[in-house]
Each structure stands twice: as structure tokens, then as C-alpha cells.
Amino acid sequence: MLNITPLQPLFAARIEGIDAAREVPAPVMAALRDALDRYAVLVLPGQRLDDAAQIAFSQGFGALEMTRPGALGAGSAVIVLSNLGPNGEIVAPSDKQVLNNKANRLWHHDSSFKPIPARASLLSARQIPSAGGNTEFAFMRGAFAALDAAEQARLRGMVALHDFGWSRSRVDPALVTEAEKTQHPPVRQAVVLEENPYGPALYLGAHARSIDGMTEAESRTLIDRLMAHATEDRFIYSHRWTPGDLLIWDNRAVLHRATPFASTTERRHMVRTTVAGQRPTIAAAA
Ligand code: OGA
Ligand code: MN
């Protein structure tokens, strides 16, 4: 039914045999959802999607998040990641759009700063640069499984504070407004997610500021060490985009980031839809 080709020893797979612009039969959609649980990153080549078709297909994975105020596409179900202005011109490096793209170069889980963080993201390439601008993924179930049992036990039950204003300010103080900080106060997330049928996953990324019960310095040491471990080569899949690629990833099983490209001379235009999570990562956040 689905033609699945693994892309990396631990996770990520290419999926053929689906036209995402047409209605996907329910059993195929169910198989895709299971493939997302199993592989965490799915690459669907050769798709031709406009925004409406991407939204319709994405809804097969669950209800969609609305794009936050301050991001391109605010108030709709698509978020645009692009260095292009409304007339297709390349925007200035100081433009908020470009600064947002710079923030995406840090390893992160989409929406981990929301009380109920995103389940999945779907990203389609509308224009890609001739070099660079890859999207890279780090497999957080593999990273957790590779820790020793004592550390796994210690991390389970830990809670991290995810703070959007703090993480964005680290990229560029001009990137976050007071209104955005108010819109996204710090939230608490489990450090280990237990919800995936294929195993527990570490959950950290750029917004993870501190750990409950630890000082900022102790927190930083722990978070930095776990992030370095999770982003070792053995846990990485780096996607070199081809026109027509649609990527789907499980934010509760992988980190991702964009790699740099010549953003003052080349065009990169990507459109994302985001599948909302169904429950908080910790009971107390409800
Ligand atoms: C995203 C994101 C990275 C990229 O769409 O959420 O982080 O490569 N994208 O554009
Ligand atoms: Mn992202």
C-alpha cells in the first residue's frame, strides 16, 4: 500500500505511492500515521501542493495549529519560512523574516514553548537554493535509548522550562517583542516523553531554558550535554531538498534545524502546516 524506504539506520523513511494533493483513502492515511510513529520523519517526493491542498492533507494527521502572531502567515494554518517579500524580492538581512529563519538554525521542536506543543509538522519546498538550506533532524528516541539506565531513570520525571522570549532574545534581541513575550509566557514540559508506541524520547531544544529544581548554571550544563549527545552524527538525518518534496516530522520524537544558505542572493521559500498536540507533556501543565 505504502512504499517505505528507510533513509538512515535508526529513523526517517521515504514514502512513495501517495499523491498528497488528492484525497488519501482512510486505510492509507492510517498506515501513514503509523509510519510517522515508527520513522519520525517521512519524505514524500514529487508532491505538487498549494496551501489549500497542504492544509487538507495535513488535517489527516489531526487538527492544525494556527500560526502565531508575529510570524508570516499569522492567523492562518500555514506558516511561511521564506527570505522573499510579497513581490518575490529577497528581503534585507535585518528583516524579521530573516531573523526568524536564523532562529530556525538552532535545534528545536516546533511549538515546544506552547502549553500543548505541536505533534507534527509538514513542510513543503516551494523554492530551494542551489546549495545549503538543508533541513536536519536528530532522533530523540534513539538518543534516549543510548543513555545508560541510571541516567534514563534520573531524567524520567524531570521537567524543563521552555521560554520563547528567552530563546529568541539569544538569537537577536530585535527578534522578540514584548507582545510576543506576553503571548508566550514560559511553559513546563517533560524532559522525557513517554507517549510514542515505539519508545520514549528526549524533549529539549532551543527553547529549553532550565530544569525544575536546578540552578540556571546546572540546567545549562545538563541541557547542553544532552543536546550534544542527541545531535551526534549517528542520530542525524540531513535532508537535501528536491523541488516537490514534502517532509513530515514528529516533533515529539525529533529535533530539527535549517542549515545556512546564501540568503542575500538565493531564494528559499517553504510552507509549513503544524498538527496540534492532543495533550500536555506533563499532567500539571493541564
Ligand atoms: C520549520 C523549520 C527548517 C527549515 O519549518 O519549522 O524549522 O529548514 N524549518 O526551513
Ligand atoms: Mn521548526
Side-chain angles (χ1 to χ4, degrees):
M1 172 158 60
L2 292 181
N3 189 349
I4 302 180
T5 312
L7 294 169
Q8 203 271 14
L10 297 176
F11 75 113
R14 184 170 60 241
I15 306 284
E16 277 143 332
I18 286 192
D19 180 352
R22 291 169 171 239
E23 189 164 329
V24 178
V28 177
M29 207 58 229
L32 258 184
R33 287 193 298 265
D34 181 63
L36 185 61
D37 281 343
R38 162 72 181 81
Y39 291 99
V41 177
L42 305 179
V43 177
L44 280 65
Q47 304 297 331
R48 262 195 230 94
L49 294 174
D50 58 17
D51 292 357
Q54 183 167 335
I55 288 171
F57 176 69
S58 301
Q59 283 168 335
F61 293 89
L64 304 186
E65 284 189 359
M66 294 302 270
T67 299
R68 62 177 179 81
L72 205 57
S76 80
V78 297
I79 177 164
V80 178
L81 297 91
S82 173
N83 67 331
L84 305 181
N87 301 314
E89 76 285 7
I90 294 176
V91 297
S94 59
D95 194 283
K96 188 164 182 187
Q97 251 172 268
V98 175
L99 294 178
N100 270 326
N101 294 343
K102 195 171 151 202
N104 282 333
R105 300 218 289 259
L106 302 176
W107 289 110
H108 63 281
H109 306 280
D110 288 332
S111 302
S112 75
F113 53 84
K114 292 187 181 174
I116 299 185
R119 169 68 211 285
S121 295
L122 297 91
L123 189 65
S124 67
R126 307 295 173 85
Q127 283 193 67
I128 52 174
S130 62
N134 284 15
T135 305
E136 300 191 323
F137 298 91
F139 187 42
M140 298 298 259
R141 292 207 316 266
F144 183 80
L147 295 171
D148 67 52
E151 176 140 51
Q152 289 181 341
R154 198 166 66 90
L155 294 174
R156 282 186 149 136
M158 274 193 193
V159 170
L161 196 75
H162 288 240
D163 186 342
F164 179 80
W166 170 82
S167 59
R168 282 299 205 260
S169 305
R170 289 178 97 198
V171 175
D172 192 311
L175 188 47
V176 61
T177 61
E178 285 307 313
E180 284 173 291
K181 285 186 195 171
T182 309
Q183 175 92 16
H184 299 295
V187 296
R188 298 164 78 244
Q189 309 290 8
V191 168
V192 180
L193 305 185
E194 309 276 359
E195 64 194 50
N196 190 287
Y198 294 91
L202 279 176
Y203 192 74
L204 290 165
H207 306 297
R209 175 175 186 167
S210 60
I211 307 284
D212 275 12
M214 291 186 184
T215 64
E216 292 255 339
E218 289 165 349
S219 300
R220 191 75 347 241
T221 303
L222 177 62
I223 293 169
D224 286 352
R225 180 170 60 77
L226 291 170
M227 287 291 293
H229 162 75
T231 55
E232 285 174 20
D233 279 351
R234 59 186 165 143
F235 303 124
I236 303 296
Y237 167 68
S238 183
H239 187 71
R240 166 91 202 112
W241 289 89
T242 299
D245 286 349
L246 171 69
L247 260 62
I248 312 173
W249 66 85
D250 180 350
N251 282 301
R252 295 180 173 213
V254 292
L255 288 165
H256 64 282
R257 69 171 178 185
T259 70
F261 69 102
S263 61
T264 56
T265 53
E266 294 225 44
R267 294 176 151 72
R268 188 174 192 267
H269 188 86
M270 319 288 285
V271 175
R272 191 183 94 200
T273 37
T274 313
V275 180
Q278 291 189 335
R279 59 194 74 82
T281 64
I282 49 170

